[in-house]
Amino acid sequence: MTFIKLTLLAILIAFFSVKLSCAHPGFRFGWGGHHGGISFGLSPQFYQFSCPQANDIVMSVLEKAIAKDMRMPASLLRLHFHDCFVQGCDASILLDDSRTIVSEKNAGPNKNSVRGFEVIDEMKSRLEEACPQTVSCADILALAARGSTVLSGGPNWELPLGRRDSKTASLSGSNKNIPPPNATIETLITFFKRQGLDEVDLVALSGAHTIGVARCATFKQRLYNQKGNNEPDENLEKSFYFDLKTMCPKSGGDNFISPLDFGSPRLFDNTYFKLILRGKGLLNSDQVLLVGNVKETQTMVKHSQALMEMRSKKCALTLLALFALSTLTILFIRTSPDSCNTALLQLETSQTLTESSPEQNSDPLQFMKSKLVLMVSHELSLSGGPLLLMELAFLLRAARSDVVWITFQKPPQTDDVVYALENKMLDRGVQVLDGKDEKGVDVACKADMVILNTAVAGKWLDSVLKEKVSEVLPKVLWWIHEMRGHYFKREYVKHLPFVAGAMIDSYTTAEYWKNRTREKLGIKMPETYVVHLGNSKDLMEVAEDSVAKRVLREHVRESLGVRNDDLLFAIINSVSRGKGQDLFLRAFYESLLLIKEKKLQVPSLHAVVVGSDMNAHTKLETELRQFVMEKNIQDRVHFVNKTLAVAPYLASIDVLVQNSQGRGECFGRITIEAMAFRLPVLGTAAGGTMEIVVNETTGLLHPIGKAGVTPLAKNMMNLATHVERRLTMGKKGYERVKERFLEPHMAQRIALVLKDVLRKGSHN
């Protein structure tokens, strides 16, 4: 943001007082100071001598109110917002009907909706006892809103005081100026512009939806009739959509409520923006900030992390977002005591369904207890798909599911890898069957769920199940990890439209499969769930153990023959052209030339290729080693055989290179594993990598193909010469992993999918 923009936001503090002075020019003589001919004089020290204990009294009442009603912070934020958007921040929303006043409480956005009046009354009563006829109701609303933010875990800030109370209200102004929950982006911008606010202000103020709840009636159209065609809103993330449907039936249930931010509904944080990015904004007015085709709001949502960091530093945006208090939060509740009790009960039930976080619920898969799950993989190897399926098998075993594993393309002779993996599963209680065993057919028919792993696993349906296929398809979850073209064979995926669902680990991959199957094969994808992966607890334990990392670093570096202060760039994937090891080595060599040409003083650079396999005698493997010999960099490049244990290498390197080519990596588990070890990532700007790596923040992205060689070389040189940047990116990557890429996060995401698949299977 430019300095001018920040300055503009900073003076928004004065905005509402200007509005108030315009509406009530007689007030100006008590304000002090002038702005454009209109007087206003707000100051944080306004009550310094007349009522110095004002804020303490407000906070004391507020703490007790929140202890009785956890919804109160959001209610008071919203109350102040609805006040400020009508005649300015003048407490006109508190005025009741009288001979001369038509109360704003009767307006559509407010009736049986705004709440917290009794708390404001209590604050006013206490303040009158301490400082009679001193503190205005308008300032009480502002203090209560700030206190609500602070007590919800948000930042504190210096609040200008000195507002005057209005003696008039505007019912028409309330109906005209307060944005509705189903507003389009164009409508929102129009409403905010009436108040002199722009798109940046809109996004910042909407962020107060990080706390509070909304009534089903405010978002039900998104579930059942978004465009008047009896279809749901296509922008709703699928698992979120199904979760909301269970909470808000098509008929009835209008007063049931859901958290606006189900990730952390009681915390003032930036989870609200993260959910919007995932298609999980609850209200239409939330999600359109991203999908409404307005570049300014889209950019702000995508940079919400930076926005929240700016808030925490008390910059101008903090004052904007929190002083204006802003929330479009829809906190509907009836005024009768009985209705209040009912609403609170519904909130508790809703939170049980949607609020659980990885920290609060250690076993989101517990509903799978005693369920029989059959897992089908075409191979058992050290590649991504089988390893992920095996990890899911262990998560289900921990939840006491009965898990059976079938590998239907086993090699003629079981090698050491297959033997070790099979025994690892047997040790964890996973039964392993031969893919052609008739027992597998019996298990498939009896299973509560069948999980096919990778597109190739579709061959098993016809070759083994045969006439039983139609019986099993309604309970099949197809977990797809590939984007390579040769997987798009009709013989593999012809049954795909008829399974319960497809689970894919990146939005890019999901979109690719949707388009490719329709255009190339003429078939339609089933219900498709996008589930980002998470790091295992075992890996995180090592990543967060500084002693273990130091020991591993020393051991691996000694085995490679590199010094502790040498700089190691590593690519950790099975060697194949799709993973881009050849282009990685070319970029590495080019970076050495650039450093030499510019005469830069940097540590000695080394490249590590983890995933080599000389026993396979592949053409690419031979080419890689020949290139190293030709360029005479044998002392700088190190080949390491395939391994299941990546932690030692992550502990020993300084930068991970994720160089997947073509359409890119679907998700790239190694990427989030590297970030857990506080490593910056140099990745290709393609595929799921772009959903993990935040360019310029947790790493640097470069183009795919030969065009990416020089940019990658320059990125290597950049990180080699800027130690502080390298360390900062690593720290940011670790924070991003902790926020969204842990095993509990993945388990929660998968749990939502499995629940839906079980439901579908039980209906057939």
Side-chain angles (χ1 to χ4, degrees), residues 260-330:
L260 285 147
D261 168 358
F262 66 88
S264 54
R266 300 179 205 171
L267 291 178
F268 200 101
D269 56 17
N270 70 337
T271 305
Y272 164 82
F273 292 110
K274 297 176 184 177
L275 293 173
I276 289 177
L277 289 169
R278 292 160 53 193
K280 295 185 178 183
L282 185 66
L283 305 179
N284 194 72
S285 59
D286 296 324
Q287 198 61 45
V288 294
L289 298 178
L290 180 67
V291 302
N293 292 323
V294 173
K295 185 178 180 181
E296 290 83 357
T297 63
Q298 291 175 339
T299 301
M300 285 294 292
V301 170
K302 292 174 183 178
H303 290 84
S304 57
Q305 181 66 43
L307 183 151
M308 294 303 290
E309 288 172 358
M310 290 167 69
R311 282 180 174 175
S312 68
K313 294 175 182 175
K314 298 184 182 179
C315 72
L317 195 52
T318 300
L319 297 173
L320 163 68
L322 301 179
F323 169 77
L325 313 168
S326 61
T327 182
L328 304 180
T329 310
I330 309 301

Side-chain angles (χ1 to χ4, degrees), residues 318-617:
T318 300
L319 297 173
L320 163 68
L322 301 179
F323 169 77
L325 313 168
S326 61
T327 182
L328 304 180
T329 310
I330 309 301
L331 293 167
F332 288 84
I333 187 167
R334 296 185 183 276
T335 53
S336 69
D338 290 343
S339 296
C340 288
N341 293 337
T342 302
L344 288 173
L345 176 62
Q346 291 165 351
L347 174 61
E348 290 165 5
T349 305
S350 170
Q351 287 176 331
T352 300
L353 290 171
T354 65
E355 185 184 332
S356 59
S357 68
E359 293 77 14
Q360 294 169 323
N361 186 352
S362 59
D363 190 12
L365 292 165
Q366 58 188 340
F367 66 92
M368 292 296 292
K369 182 179 178 180
S370 301
K371 295 287 191 293
L372 175 59
V373 180
L374 174 64
M375 296 185 163
V376 182
S377 180
H378 72 290
E379 66 178 8
L380 191 53
S381 65
L382 293 178
S383 55
L387 292 179
L388 284 170
L389 187 64
M390 188 169 68
E391 185 173 330
L392 177 57
F394 295 159
L395 288 174
L396 291 174
R397 284 297 299 143
R400 299 186 181 180
S401 301
D402 296 318
V403 182
V404 178
W405 179 290
I406 285 178
T407 306
F408 66 89
Q409 284 186 190
K410 291 181 71 172
Q413 293 183 332
T414 301
D415 60 21
D416 291 341
V417 170
V418 173
Y419 179 81
L421 294 177
E422 283 188 351
N423 277 277
K424 187 174 182 179
M425 286 195 286
L426 291 171
D427 289 343
R428 301 285 283 270
V430 178
Q431 186 179 356
V432 180
L433 298 179
D434 185 279
K436 298 177 182 177
D437 194 325
E438 276 299 313
K439 236 173 165 187
V441 178
D442 186 50
V443 172
C445 293
K446 293 178 179 177
D448 296 286
M449 185 183 302
V450 176
I451 302 178
L452 298 183
N453 186 232
T454 74
V456 182
K459 292 166 60 177
W460 175 80
L461 294 170
D462 285 326
S463 63
V464 177
L465 286 187
K466 299 176 182 176
E467 68 274 5
K468 297 285 187 179
V469 170
S470 59
E471 182 181 336
V472 174
L473 287 178
K475 53 187 178 181
V476 168
L477 173 63
W478 207 323
W479 198 1
I480 296 171
H481 313 277
E482 307 93 353
M483 280 201 290
R484 283 172 284 177
H486 64 269
Y487 286 100
F488 290 91
K489 293 183 179 179
R490 195 172 189 85
E491 62 181 285
Y492 294 167
V493 298
K494 66 180 181 181
H495 295 296
L496 193 52
F498 312 107
V499 302
M503 186 163 69
I504 296 178
D505 49 24
S506 81
Y507 293 98
T508 302
T509 310
E511 189 65 21
Y512 176 70
W513 272 83
K514 175 185 174 182
N515 295 335
R516 182 86 180 211
T517 50
R518 181 184 67 243
E519 295 167 4
K520 299 294 183 182
L521 301 179
I523 64 176
K524 184 180 179 182
M525 287 288 287
E527 199 74 58
T528 302
Y529 310 89
V530 175
V531 176
H532 284 164
L533 308 178
N535 286 325
S536 70
K537 291 178 181 177
D538 291 342
L539 181 125
M540 290 304 299
E541 286 179 5
V542 179
E544 295 178 327
D545 188 330
S546 58
V547 175
K549 286 197 296 183
R550 187 175 69 249
V551 171
L552 290 170
R553 180 182 177 89
E554 292 174 356
H555 173 74
V556 171
R557 285 181 170 243
E558 183 180 353
S559 68
L560 295 176
V562 299
R563 297 170 301 183
N564 188 53
D565 58 352
D566 289 343
L567 197 59
L568 269 63
F569 292 83
I571 186 166
I572 306 178
N573 291 111
S574 296
V575 170
S576 72
R577 295 203 187 276
K579 301 299 183 182
Q581 286 91 351
D582 52 342
L583 299 178
F584 162 64
L585 289 180
R586 292 181 185 278
F588 175 72
Y589 177 67
E590 191 170 315
S591 71
L592 297 178
L593 296 180
L594 287 171
I595 289 170
K596 184 177 181 180
E597 176 188 333
K598 295 177 181 293
K599 298 180 180 179
L600 300 174
Q601 297 298 315
V602 297
S604 179
L605 269 60
H606 291 256
V608 184
V609 178
V610 180
S612 179
D613 187 359
M614 268 306 287
N615 293 328
H617 298 293

Side-chain angles (χ1 to χ4, degrees), residues 651-678:
S652 66
I653 67 175
D654 299 289
V655 179
L656 179 84
V657 178
Q658 175 60 281
N659 204 39
S660 293
Q661 299 297 307
R663 299 174 189 90
E665 190 75 15
C666 294
F667 184 81
R669 181 68 166 280
I670 191 63
T671 305
I672 58 173
E673 290 174 335
M675 290 161 63
F677 277 78
R678 293 176 168 84

